[in-house]
Amino acid sequence: MFYKTVPFLFLFGLFSANAQQNDSITKIDSTSHSLKFNYKQLIIPSVLIGYGVVGLESHQILNFNHQIKDEVTEDIDEKITIDDFSQYAPAASVYALNAFGVKGKNNMRDRSVIFVTSYAIMATTVLGLKSISHVERPDGSSNNSFPSGHTATAFMGAEFLYQEYKDKSIWYGIAGYAVATGTGLFRIYNNRHWLTDVAAGAGIGILSTKIAYWINPYITKKLFKSSSENKSTSMIMPFYNGQQYGLGFAKVF
C-alpha cells in the first residue's frame, strides 16, 4: 500500500507547491500577457527532472522503481488506457473554456503561439532524451521509457491551463494538475513507465510551458509587427503520441 501511495502524493503535491509561487506578470499589450522570469519558478521542475536523471544511475532509486513495479504487477491485471486521452485534456480545456465564454489571460492568437511553443519545446526535449537514454520500459516492450511523453504532455497542458485561468479561479489549475497527476499514475499503473520517467516528464512539461511564456514577447514581436495587424502564421512542431513520431502543422490566425 505504501508504494501505491507514494507516487500519488509525490505528483499531486506538485500543484500545491507550484501554486504557492508568485508568478510575476508583465503586460505586453492589451491582449497579450507573459510571465516575467523568476528563478524560483525553476525549483519544482528542476527537482523533478533532477530526480528522474539521478534515478538513471542511482541504485536506491532504481530499486524503488522496481518495488513499485512489483506492487503494480502483483495486484493489477487489467490495463486502463485512459491516459492515452487524458494527456490532452488540460490543454484542450483551455480552448473549451474559451469556447464557452470563459476568457483566459491571452487572446486566441497569443494563447495558440504559447501552446505551440511549449509543445515544441516539450516534444523536442522528450524525443531527445528518449533517443540517448535507452531506458527499457517496465513491461519490456521497448527501450524508450525515459522520460514519459504522456506525462510531459499532461503537465505541459496543466501549467498552460493554470497560467491562463489562475486569475479567474485557482480551481481550474487544480483540476488540470489533478488530471495530469492521474495521467502519470496510469502510466505506472499500466506498467509503461517507471516513477523516475513520470517525475522527469512532469518537470519537463511544467518547464516547457513556463519557457514558452517567458519567450513569448520575443516570438510575438518576431511574428507580428503590430498587435493590431491581422495576419496568420504557420508553424511546424514535433509530434509524439507514445508510439509514433512525426511533425504537426499549426496555423495561428
Side-chain angles (χ1 to χ4, degrees), residues 97-98 101-106 111 161-173:
L97 286 168
N98 185 75
V102 184
K103 301 299 182 182
K105 182 182 300 178
N106 291 292
R111 178 190 310 131
L161 177 62
Y162 169 64
Q163 292 298 339
E164 285 297 312
Y165 286 98
K166 65 180 180 179
D167 295 332
K168 293 285 185 179
S169 173
I170 196 172
W171 289 103
Y172 291 119

Side-chain angles (χ1 to χ4, degrees), residues 150-248:
H150 282 64
T151 307
T153 300
F155 275 87
M156 179 205 75
E159 179 67 14
F160 181 46
L161 177 62
Y162 169 64
Q163 292 298 339
E164 285 297 312
Y165 286 98
K166 65 180 180 179
D167 295 332
K168 293 285 185 179
S169 173
I170 196 172
W171 289 103
Y172 291 119
I174 291 175
Y177 268 88
V179 171
T181 298
T183 300
L185 290 175
F186 273 112
R187 297 309 285 166
I188 298 174
Y189 177 97
N190 290 325
N191 204 27
R192 295 290 290 164
H193 281 290
W194 309 99
L195 175 60
T196 45
D197 302 335
V198 170
I204 291 170
I206 295 170
L207 186 58
S208 296
T209 298
K210 287 187 179 296
I211 292 174
Y213 275 92
W214 291 334
I215 66 176
N216 185 56
Y218 306 101
I219 294 178
T220 300
K221 184 178 180 180
K222 194 75 173 177
L223 293 178
F224 310 102
K225 293 181 180 179
S226 171
S227 60
S228 62
E229 292 181 4
N230 184 19
K231 295 183 179 180
S232 63
T233 302
S234 299
M235 293 184 179
I236 296 177
M237 59 184 176
F239 173 80
Y240 177 69
N241 63 7
Q243 296 178 334
Q244 300 171 326
Y245 301 87
L247 293 175

Side-chain angles (χ1 to χ4, degrees), residues 4-192:
K4 296 176 186 176
T5 305
V6 169
F8 177 79
L9 295 177
F10 182 75
L11 289 172
F12 193 73
L14 292 176
F15 177 77
S16 297
N18 192 56
Q20 291 175 4
Q21 297 177 356
N22 293 321
D23 289 331
S24 299
I25 305 299
T26 182
K27 195 170 186 179
I28 301 172
D29 56 41
S30 59
T31 57
S32 178
H33 299 74
S34 185
L35 283 174
K36 181 182 292 184
F37 176 79
N38 186 335
Y39 74 91
K40 293 181 180 179
Q41 298 169 24
L42 296 173
I43 296 175
I44 292 174
S46 296
V47 169
L48 290 170
I49 297 170
Y51 176 81
V53 172
V54 171
L56 295 175
E57 299 294 336
S58 169
H59 293 296
Q60 184 176 0
I61 296 177
L62 289 173
N63 287 336
F64 186 52
N65 275 344
H66 283 279
Q67 288 173 343
I68 294 174
K69 175 185 181 297
D70 292 341
E71 285 286 325
V72 170
T73 55
E74 178 182 355
D75 299 333
I76 298 175
D77 298 323
E78 185 178 352
K79 292 184 178 181
I80 301 176
T81 58
I82 190 174
D83 46 306
D84 288 334
F85 306 98
S86 64
Q87 61 175 320
Y88 303 113
S93 297
V94 174
Y95 293 93
L97 286 168
N98 185 75
F100 282 103
V102 184
K103 301 299 182 182
K105 182 182 300 178
N106 291 292
N107 62 20
M108 179 65 75
R109 186 199 71 182
D110 296 309
R111 178 190 310 131
S112 297
V113 171
I114 290 169
F115 172 73
V116 171
T117 303
S118 61
Y119 194 97
I121 295 170
M122 180 275 298
T124 301
T125 304
V126 168
L127 293 179
L129 289 174
K130 282 181 179 292
S131 66
I132 63 177
S133 60
H134 301 294
V135 176
E136 186 179 21
R137 291 183 183 271
D139 60 5
S141 62
S142 62
N143 293 321
N144 62 348
S145 187
F146 182 87
S148 170
H150 282 64
T151 307
T153 300
F155 275 87
M156 179 205 75
E159 179 67 14
F160 181 46
L161 177 62
Y162 169 64
Q163 292 298 339
E164 285 297 312
Y165 286 98
K166 65 180 180 179
D167 295 332
K168 293 285 185 179
S169 173
I170 196 172
W171 289 103
Y172 291 119
I174 291 175
Y177 268 88
V179 171
T181 298
T183 300
L185 290 175
F186 273 112
R187 297 309 285 166
I188 298 174
Y189 177 97
N190 290 325
N191 204 27
R192 295 290 290 164

